[in-house]
């Protein structure tokens, strides 16, 4: 059976990554349960619209630290004074079943996974410019001026690590960005070595049919 592919999507805060991933999950790449969006653990408090077990597993610091010492995470990192981590049970069992998995992850976590699983695919989503990102963060109205300045400084740190990633999507048009991420996922599935099993089945059909004639 084909092994699933692992996609790591990283972006500075405010780049529109969540909307981009949602768009892909509603489209062709996720048809018939072919794509799983991994649910992370975090110590961050839930936002008003967030549901435990759907957007994240919300846990306290001691529960998170216990999971770390039990080796339950594939990767974890501290970001903005909170812990975030991908549990082992979210990813490898699905890849083994042939399901592709998409992780929404910051740079340090992406780096850990790229080291552990070099065949995974790192995708960096960029804003078209500093000014556009600053404007989006202001328009979102979630943060104070000082928090926005902090996010922008962190964004520079993240963008400077762009060479970790094999793919880059510059998000100046959401529809096109959804198409681009979908294309990356579909391209991996179209690789011949990912289709050996299906090709063999088709071939077998031809072989037995021609033998019978
Ligand atoms: P937020 O608090 O806005 O939901 O997420 C903050 C950052 O944490 C985002 O960059 C998001 O991609 C990242 N993140 C979410 N889940 C994980 C995870 O499991 N591991 C790591 N390393 N980062 C994560």
């Amino acid at each position: 059976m084909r092994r699933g592919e692992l996609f790591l999507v990283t972006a500075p805060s405010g780049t529109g990554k969540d909307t981009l991933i949602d768009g892909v999950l509603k489209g062709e790449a996720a048809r018939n349960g072919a794509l799983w969006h991994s649910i992370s653990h975090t110590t961050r408090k839930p936002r008003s619209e967030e549901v435990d077990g759907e957007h994240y597993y919300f846990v306290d610091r001691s529960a998170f630290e216990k999971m770390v010492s039990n080796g339950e995470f594939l990767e974890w990192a501290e970001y903005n004074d909170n812990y975030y981590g991908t549990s082992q049970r979210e990813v490898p069992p699905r890849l083994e079943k042939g399901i592709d998995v998409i992780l929404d992850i910051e740079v340090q976590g992406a780096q850990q996974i790229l080291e552990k699983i070099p065949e995974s695919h790192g995708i960096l989503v960029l804003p078209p410019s500093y000014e556009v990102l600053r404007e989006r963060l202001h328009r979102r109205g979630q943060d104070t001026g000082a928090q926005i300045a902090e996010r922008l400084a962190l964004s520079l740190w993240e963008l400077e690590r762009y060479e970790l990633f094999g793919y880059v999507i510059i998000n100046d048009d959401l529809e096109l960005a959804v198409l681009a991420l979908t294309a990356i996922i579909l391209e991996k599935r179209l690789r011949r070595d990912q289709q050996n099993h299906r090709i063999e089945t088709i071939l077998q059909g031809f072989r037995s049919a021609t033998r019978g004639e």
Side-chain angles (χ1 to χ4, degrees):
M1 211 222 297
R2 149 191 201 274
R3 200 180 149 72
E5 301 273 3
L6 182 55
F7 300 95
L8 317 171
V9 182
T10 299
S13 167
T15 309
K17 175 187 54 175
D18 294 351
T19 321
L20 165 60
I21 293 177
D22 279 350
V24 171
L25 290 170
K26 287 194 188 107
E28 190 57 32
R31 197 142 57 104
N32 299 326
L35 184 65
W36 172 255
H37 183 201
S38 168
I39 304 170
S40 300
H41 282 70
T42 184
T43 58
R44 169 169 77 59
K45 295 276 166 284
R47 297 181 185 128
S48 59
E49 74 291 357
E50 286 179 328
V51 178
D52 185 44
E54 191 180 312
H55 296 93
Y56 279 105
Y57 295 108
F58 294 99
V59 293
D60 60 25
R61 284 183 90 86
S62 72
F64 194 100
E65 283 162 0
K66 200 163 163 214
M67 287 181 72
V68 171
S69 51
N70 289 342
E72 289 181 53
F73 286 114
L74 189 61
E75 64 72 36
W76 66 276
E78 191 162 8
Y79 178 90
N80 258 346
D81 300 327
N82 288 300
Y83 290 138
Y84 293 84
T86 308
S87 71
Q88 296 277 3
R89 69 185 149 88
E90 279 295 304
V91 181
R94 293 202 167 82
L95 297 180
E96 275 149 35
K97 280 190 202 138
I99 300 169
D100 293 339
V101 178
I102 192 162
L103 301 187
D104 169 343
I105 194 166
E106 51 65 71
V107 173
Q108 306 163 75
Q111 183 163 16
Q112 291 173 47
I113 302 232
L114 287 165
E115 281 163 12
K116 268 194 199 163
I117 311 176
E119 63 276 21
S120 56
H121 312 291
I123 301 150
L124 181 64
V125 184
L126 294 187
S129 69
Y130 173 85
E131 287 73 22
V132 168
L133 184 58
R134 190 182 53 185
E135 170 61 25
R136 281 186 193 159
L137 289 170
H138 278 290
R139 227 178 322 122
R140 198 161 76 165
Q142 260 178 22
D143 303 306
T144 63
Q147 284 168 329
I148 290 179
E150 246 174 66
R151 282 191 192 277
L152 289 167
L154 186 57
S155 301
L156 171 62
W157 184 87
E158 291 172 320
L159 296 192
E160 281 177 337
R161 277 144 191 84
Y162 75 95
E163 285 179 348
L164 283 171
F165 299 86
Y167 294 89
V168 171
I169 297 174
I170 298 174
N171 190 9
D172 49 6
D173 175 328
L174 178 63
E175 218 173 300
L176 202 56
V178 169
L179 201 60
L181 184 50
T182 303
I184 294 168
I185 296 169
L186 296 185
E187 190 270 341
K188 296 293 159 224
R189 291 184 191 160
L190 290 168
R191 298 230 161 199
R192 201 259 300 136
D193 57 1
Q194 279 287 34
Q195 301 200 75
N196 282 346
H197 185 74
R198 295 184 68 196
I199 299 167
E200 275 305 321
T201 310
I202 294 170
L203 254 180
Q204 283 307 332
F206 270 75
R207 284 194 185 117
S208 27
T210 35
R211 247 184 260 123
E213 271 167 17

